[in-house]
Amino acid sequence: MKIAIIMPRGMRFGPESATSIDLCVRDAVAESKFRASTTIICEEIDRPFDGFKILTYERASKLRRIRQVARIVRSIAPDLIVVQQHLPTASALAWQFPDCQVMLHKHNFVATTTGLRRYRRYLELNRLAGITFVSQAGLDRFAIDYPNCQAAKFVALNGLPVEDWGQSIDKINQIVAVGRIESRKGMVEIADALARVLPDYPEWNAKIIGSMSDEEETKEAFDNAIQGVDRLHRTGALSHKEVVSAVCSSKIAVVNSREEAFGRVALEGMAGGAALVTTRVGGLREVVGDVCVPLEDGSPEEIEKNLRALIADPTRREQLAAAGRARFQDNFTIKHTASSLDAVYDELFHARSGSSPGFAATREHSMSESSSYRA
């Protein structure tokens, strides 16, 4: 089967500045049984990842960009087109290539809309052969918001490469939080909590990793929270390799998202062997299960309380870290993800010819089996 994977604009399919979606695609394709017959179509980049078939398009307006992508797709003549994240591109390609199965791979929640926009959204959705979500939470919300969508729907949980996250790095007394500094990530509350905790534990430090948002109120609140706090370091965005090193060397990881379709940073904390303190909203609940210290409201006071408890209890920290690592290895390796996506691709490909291989399962599908299933 020949597969074309379309990356949306703004992605950076290379080692210096890859986004989480770039990493998800890189890792899944690397483990896919269709790797040799998969072409990744992405925006131009100076140094892309090695070891993949890559064709690029120029940065341009949406219409011109879709035309470029269509020309590339036509030259490949794939059996399946997989569009990452961007519904308008997926819909446009489904319209232009009616004899090819087109799937949307959605990494966040599909936004709700009303009126004429909702009618147009349905037109876009119903051109697709399938939609894959990165969590059951993503599918469940979509099913409520768009009950009349005719496309086949799947879940394929994200995963991480064991070899990236299995390196032996000496743990230090460090608390890490990874995420963009914006209100929905709850990073100001994390900073407030760390500012209260660190003065009482001089042997501990903290690292906040993430780019700054354009929210002026959030920027001001965050800067005020970390001002003058010793051993609290905000690094800005780092390369994937640097993030792995920071997480794997930390004893505690904090996630305080208000909404997550999956929750990659929580999974990274588990894979990196850190005791995890996290909210359990949306897809985060599926990722972390009960191998974390759960946050109910994500307030600075609640985060502070739980950080103090973990710092004071090394046995509890080690138990949580071991349980998180085991949950990652049992359910969320990239081999699980690649196998799940390969099964989805097979299902869509054979659905066109009417010779389905029988890949279908119930909504009660267990994570201990495959990580993907059709709804």
Side-chain angles (χ1 to χ4, degrees), residues 115-135:
L116 182 58
R117 288 185 178 180
R118 182 174 177 81
Y119 173 75
R120 290 174 176 171
R121 179 71 51 80
Y122 263 119
L123 289 179
E124 291 178 327
L125 291 168
N126 287 331
R127 285 176 180 162
L128 305 177
I131 308 171
T132 295
F133 301 87
V134 295
S135 67

Side-chain angles (χ1 to χ4, degrees), residues 178-179 247 253-255 257 260 263-270 276 284:
V178 181
V247 175
V254 187
V255 177
S257 293
E260 287 289 349
R264 181 183 173 96
V265 293
L267 181 58
E268 290 176 343
M270 292 159 56
L276 185 62
L284 272 171

Side-chain angles (χ1 to χ4, degrees), residues 109 135-138 141 257-263 279-287:
F109 293 115
S135 67
Q136 183 65 44
R141 180 181 294 189
S257 293
R258 301 292 182 257
E259 179 179 81
E260 287 289 349
F262 182 74
T279 49
R280 298 175 76 235
V281 295
L284 272 171
R285 186 178 300 274
E286 297 166 55
V287 174

Side-chain angles (χ1 to χ4, degrees), residues 324-373:
R325 175 72 183 180
R327 183 173 174 83
F328 155 64
Q329 291 178 311
D330 289 344
N331 300 291
F332 296 101
T333 69
I334 198 60
K335 291 185 184 296
H336 285 89
T337 302
S339 176
S340 300
L341 287 172
D342 285 350
V344 171
Y345 299 160
D346 272 330
E347 171 79 355
L348 290 177
F349 176 71
H350 288 284
R352 169 69 71 178
S353 63
S355 58
S356 172
F359 171 70
T362 68
R363 294 281 290 277
E364 291 75 34
H365 178 89
S366 168
M367 274 203 317
S368 63
E369 301 169 26
S370 168
S371 298
S372 76
Y373 51 96

Side-chain angles (χ1 to χ4, degrees), residues 194-237:
L194 291 170
R196 303 178 192 195
V197 169
L198 289 176
D200 294 336
Y201 300 94
E203 71 279 14
W204 281 77
N205 71 81
K207 186 174 287 188
I208 296 178
I209 302 170
S211 58
M212 183 64 74
S213 78
D214 297 326
E215 302 168 353
E216 290 300 327
E217 185 176 342
T218 298
K219 289 167 61 175
E220 182 179 357
F222 183 83
D223 289 341
N224 289 338
I226 67 173
Q227 187 173 9
V229 182
D230 291 336
R231 293 169 283 108
L232 173 53
H233 312 287
R234 186 239 159 182
T235 67

